[in-house]
């Protein structure tokens, strides 16, 4: 973002390369081809920004189920497919069928792009996953500029989809196109999986991955996803884990209808009182989950892992200020990150059936549903967690001697994901980051759940890496989403350098 950081990075480069075990000869940073590639990307950066502008101009919102927007999504898919064909890639548009809406309507799901460029058996095959759809955005939501007109202010490229995920998809394409434009051999075989329904739950993706396991994906050695953010404005990151999630509903019912507290108050067990007791038994004020056994399978922290948290570029005070939280439960950066990334957490989300409007209605809800979820981490076992939650709630409920009925169900279960950071592609990405940014990456995990990583890893059983390009303040899904020109352009270089490092390591 700050061009000064970039310059500082390159002046640091020679020094860092000296430390890098002779990967380059220290007198010629970076090597000839890389230098040429970087120069090309710098010289053509306005063209790259222009293409991003054209992509941002397509309102490819997959969230609102309306035909007009679906047509935009189809247009976006064609635009990307054309771009890939122009690179010389073989492009398949795989029909993804229809989305059935609750009202009986159905809408087309944009086809999923499967593209391939090169199939030299001597080279590794690296497959990039990305998405072309975006979250809804309207100017009146609080945007200063039109969300579908890419606008540059102080090196920031504002617009919906700039960072999530059109910018990173194009950065990968820019890297490939640079080798093509320079008439240089691509160092790796490249594949693309690009979908248009990520923001709506990646409908049809998992099925496709299953179906193409022995087809399109059989030659894939590595999967790269670039769909999250750094934890800093300055320091690039590599993501090696995400938490899973198990979502619970606990219903307490007396009858379907509500009661008046003047006519029934005092003579029955109120469902809300039961539910509040149940929800109140789940977690204490230090954030510790009170369900017996829940921490039993949580992986112990290793020394190596501990060091990754210590090295991360996070200003706790700035983080606290920007989140407008007076005090977090933990006072050190390391503890905070571990509780976000590698320990489970339990959050209470809401109560269906509760009176929540302003005013003073004297209702006794007859039936209420409490909603909470547990973010899961390695090596928690989801079916064991489900059993523990049910047993705990049964026990708490039975102690109340309530005459109401309680039912507990787990409505969603997504596994956590963790990568092997000693894998070749992590080593290659680290080296590429050092070359482009002159620094070691923050080795980060993500506290939220990104199911695709786990889907790819489980189905194809190949190494999956998340290599984000955007800065922490990019505002994905939010108003004023942006990607810094610096991140976009250096990110294109990063992918190019990554290809070269992969070729060396393979
Ligand atoms: C955080 O906010 C406090 C109070 O407004 C201010 O004094 C401090 O400089 C801020 N720190 C950072 C790092 O932004
Ligand atoms: C999870 O626990 C269940 C029940 O105890 C067991 O059958 C299953 O094998 C476990 N799964 C894993 C991945 O350990
Ligand atoms: C529930 O009932 C048992 C036995 O009938 C009694 O010992 C206990 O005190 C009761 N608990 C509550 C919370 O009313
Ligand atoms: Zn995304």
């Amino acid at each position: 973002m700050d061009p000064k950081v970039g310059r500082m990075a390159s002046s640091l480069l020679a020094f860092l390369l000296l430390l890098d075990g002779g990967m380059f000869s220290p007198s010629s940073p970076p090597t000839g081809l890389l230098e040429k590639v970087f120069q090309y990307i710098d010289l053509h950066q306005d063209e790259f920004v222009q293409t991003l502008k054209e992509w941002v101009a397509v309102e490819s919102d997959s969230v609102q189920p309306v035909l007009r927007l679906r047509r935009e999504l189809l247009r976006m898919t064609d635009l990307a497919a054309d771009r890939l064909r122009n690179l010389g890639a073989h492009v398949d548009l795989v029909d993804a069928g229809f989305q059935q809406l609750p009202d009986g309507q159905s809408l087309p799901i944009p086809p999923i792009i499967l593209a391939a460029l090169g199939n030299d058996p001597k080279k590794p095959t690296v497959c990039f996953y990305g998405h072309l759809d975006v979250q809804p955005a309207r100017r009146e939501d609080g945007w200063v500029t039109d969300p579908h007109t890419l606008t540059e202010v102080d090196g920031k490229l504002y617009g919906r989809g700039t960072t999530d995920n059109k910018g990173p998809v194009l950065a990968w394409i820019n890297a490939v196109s640079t080798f093509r434009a320079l008439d240089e051999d691509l160092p790796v075989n490249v594949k693309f999986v690009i979908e248009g329904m990520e923001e709506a739950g990646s409908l049809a993706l998992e099925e496709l991955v299953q179906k193409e396991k022995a087809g399109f994906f059989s030659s894939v050695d590595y999967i790269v996803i670039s769909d999250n953010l750094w934890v800093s404005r300055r320091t690039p990151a590599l993501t090696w884990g995400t938490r899973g999630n198990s979502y619970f509903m606990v219903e307490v019912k007396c009858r379907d209808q509500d009661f008046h507290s003047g006519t029934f108050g005092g003579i029955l067990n109120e469902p809300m009182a039961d539910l509040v007791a149940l929800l109140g038994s789940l977690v204490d004020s230090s954030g510790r989950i009170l369900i017996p056994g829940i921490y039993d399978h949580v992986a112990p922290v290793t020394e190596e892992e501990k060091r990754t948290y210590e090295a991360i570029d996070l200003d706790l005070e700035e983080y606290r200020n920007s989140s407008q939280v007076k005090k977090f439960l933990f006072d050190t950066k390391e503890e905070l990150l571990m509780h976000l990334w590698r320990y489970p957490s339990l959050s209470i989300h809401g109560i269906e059936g509760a009176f929540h409007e302003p005013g003073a209605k004297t209702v006794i809800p007859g039936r209420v549903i409490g909603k909470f979820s547990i973010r899961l981490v390695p090596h928690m076992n989801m079916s064991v967690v489900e059993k523990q939650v049910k047993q705990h709630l049964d026990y708490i409920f039975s102690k109340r001697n309530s005459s109401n009925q309680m039912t507990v169900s787990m409505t969603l279960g997504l596994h956590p994901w963790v990568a092997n950071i000693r894998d070749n592609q992590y080593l290659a990405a680290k080296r590429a980051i050092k070359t482009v940014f002159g620094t070691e990456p923050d080795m980060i995990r993500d506290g939220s759940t990104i199911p695709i990583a786990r889907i790819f890893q489980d189905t194809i059983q190949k190494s999956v890496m998340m290599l984000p390009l955007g800065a922490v303040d990019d505002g994905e899904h939010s108003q004023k989403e942006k990607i810094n020109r610096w991140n976009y352009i250096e990110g294109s270089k990063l992918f190019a350098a990554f290809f070269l490092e992969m070729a060396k390591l393979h």
Side-chain angles (χ1 to χ4, degrees):
M1 127 178 228
D2 180 352
K4 264 183 298 193
V5 179
R7 275 200 294 278
M8 228 160 61
S10 35
S11 65
L12 265 176
L13 189 60
F15 171 68
L16 285 162
L17 290 172
L18 274 171
L19 303 177
D20 197 38
M23 214 188 49
F24 298 100
S25 68
S27 55
S28 59
T31 59
L33 174 54
L34 202 56
E35 183 88 333
K36 250 168 71 180
V37 165
F38 286 4
Q39 260 173 18
Y40 182 92
I41 293 174
D42 278 333
L43 280 172
H44 292 79
Q45 56 174 288
D46 288 340
E47 284 162 41
F48 294 148
V49 170
Q50 180 56 32
T51 310
L52 182 57
K53 185 170 187 156
E54 285 158 23
W55 282 27
V56 166
V58 186
E59 193 182 352
S60 50
D61 167 359
S62 63
V63 178
Q64 300 180 73
V66 293
L67 194 56
R68 176 183 71 86
L69 295 171
R70 274 318 145 84
R71 292 209 182 100
E72 288 296 276
L73 260 171
L74 295 174
R75 194 157 75 82
M76 186 64 239
T77 308
D78 285 339
L79 212 57
D82 282 346
R83 184 102 196 152
L84 292 170
R85 282 191 203 102
N86 288 340
L87 288 181
H90 177 270
V91 179
D92 263 336
L93 292 177
V94 182
D95 182 45
F98 287 83
Q99 177 187 19
Q100 297 298 331
L101 301 178
D103 66 2
Q105 264 198 85
S106 65
L107 285 176
I109 297 176
I112 297 173
I113 299 177
L114 296 181
L117 191 59
N119 61 353
D120 182 342
K122 292 192 294 296
K123 295 176 186 169
T125 300
V126 182
C127 179
F128 181 83
Y129 163 86
H131 65 90
L132 301 169
D133 57 317
V134 296
Q135 287 277 325
R138 292 172 316 161
R139 192 165 182 156
E140 54 272 31
D141 296 339
W143 287 72
V144 177
T145 58
D146 175 44
H148 303 293
T149 306
L150 185 136
T151 310
E152 181 162 9
V153 182
D154 294 336
K156 300 183 176 94
L157 307 170
Y158 289 97
R160 176 55 92 225
T162 47
T163 202
D164 182 15
N165 185 226
K166 291 174 177 175
V169 171
L170 273 172
W172 187 272
I173 292 177
N174 298 342
V176 175
S177 74
T178 298
F179 284 93
R180 308 291 290 178
L182 292 170
D183 219 4
E184 292 286 349
D185 195 28
L186 261 180
V188 292
N189 302 317
V190 179
K191 288 198 163 185
F192 295 84
V193 190
I194 303 184
E195 67 158 323
M197 292 299 281
E198 196 274 344
E199 304 293 0
S202 290
L203 304 174
L205 182 69
E206 187 169 3
E207 199 184 324
L208 174 88
V209 176
Q210 289 284 359
K211 212 172 85 202
E212 289 293 338
K213 184 180 166 179
F216 179 83
F217 290 106
S218 63
S219 63
V220 168
D221 299 306
Y222 304 93
I223 306 251
V224 178
I225 301 169
S226 183
D227 194 18
N228 62 321
L229 298 175
W230 302 349
V231 291
S232 148
R233 292 190 202 177
R234 302 162 293 267
T235 309
L238 264 175
T239 306
W240 59 284
T242 60
R243 290 195 291 189
N245 198 10
S246 53
Y247 203 105
F248 290 89
M249 308 262 181
V250 49
E251 180 187 281
V252 181
K253 177 176 164 178
C254 178
R255 66 172 196 191
D256 280 321
Q257 252 180 305
D258 289 346
F259 300 92
H260 186 302
S261 71
T263 32
F264 285 95
I267 61 167
L268 45 81
N269 281 123
E270 299 192 7
M272 187 72 103
D274 286 341
L275 183 63
V276 167
L278 290 166
L279 295 178
S281 75
L282 294 171
V283 64
D284 72 15
S285 59
S286 71
R288 194 163 173 84
I289 305 173
L290 299 174
I291 297 162
I294 200 89
Y295 291 99
D296 285 357
H297 297 117
V298 174
V301 186
T302 64
E303 281 304 314
E304 185 191 7
E305 186 191 333
K306 222 186 239 164
R307 282 195 294 276
T308 66
Y309 305 118
E310 287 160 10
I312 283 168
D313 176 17
L314 177 80
D315 182 333
L316 207 53
E317 190 175 303
E318 190 185 331
Y319 184 52
R320 205 161 30 221
N321 281 3
S322 67
S323 11
Q324 296 176 295
V325 174
K326 202 155 117 204
K327 188 176 174 352
F328 288 121
L329 290 173
F330 305 95
D331 293 325
T332 66
K333 174 181 76 180
E334 291 79 9
E335 273 192 297
L336 192 105
L337 292 176
M338 286 198 280
H339 282 88
L340 270 179
W341 294 347
R342 63 105 55 232
Y343 286 122
S345 61
L346 188 148
S347 303
I348 298 171
H349 305 297
I351 297 179
E352 193 176 318
F355 169 59
H356 66 277
E357 277 120 79
K361 187 176 170 186
T362 53
V363 65
I364 301 172
R367 173 176 167 264
V368 282
I369 303 171
K371 302 179 185 189
F372 65 94
S373 73
I374 301 175
R375 293 280 172 188
L376 303 171
V377 298
H379 306 288
M380 292 168 88
N381 176 324
M382 198 138 52
S383 57
V384 172
V385 167
E386 182 178 12
K387 212 181 300 167
Q388 287 167 335
V389 168
K390 286 182 172 168
Q391 266 171 5
H392 171 74
L393 291 175
D394 276 340
Y395 171 70
I396 301 291
F397 190 66
S398 71
K399 275 204 312 188
R400 291 180 62 79
N401 297 339
S402 171
S403 53
N404 292 324
Q405 281 172 292
M406 181 195 73
T407 43
V408 184
S409 52
M410 190 176 95
T411 57
L412 177 77
L414 296 165
H415 290 283
W417 164 77
V418 63
N420 173 12
I421 57 174
R422 288 195 190 80
D423 189 89
N424 271 351
Q425 67 167 338
Y426 276 89
L427 297 180
K430 273 191 188 181
R431 289 181 179 181
I433 286 171
K434 211 180 212 179
T435 304
V436 175
F437 295 96
T439 179
E440 292 286 341
D442 281 337
M443 295 301 292
I444 65 174
R445 291 167 67 158
D446 201 305
S448 44
T449 307
I450 307 174
I452 38 163
R454 177 76 192 222
I455 291 173
F456 281 124
Q457 191 161 301
D458 283 356
T459 314
I460 309 168
Q461 309 207 322
K462 290 290 160 60
S463 164
V464 177
M465 176 174 73
M466 289 195 205
L467 176 51
L469 300 187
V472 67
D473 59 350
D474 277 1
E476 51 181 358
H477 292 203
S478 160
Q479 296 88 341
K480 305 179 212 158
E481 176 182 345
K482 57 96 179 156
I483 192 167
N484 303 316
R485 179 186 275 260
W486 183 68
N487 290 62
Y488 177 52
I489 298 305
E490 299 306 298
S492 302
K493 292 181 193 168
L494 173 58
F495 286 149
F498 171 69
F499 297 159
L500 286 162
E501 293 296 345
M502 280 305 280
K504 279 191 220 162
L505 276 172
H506 192 71

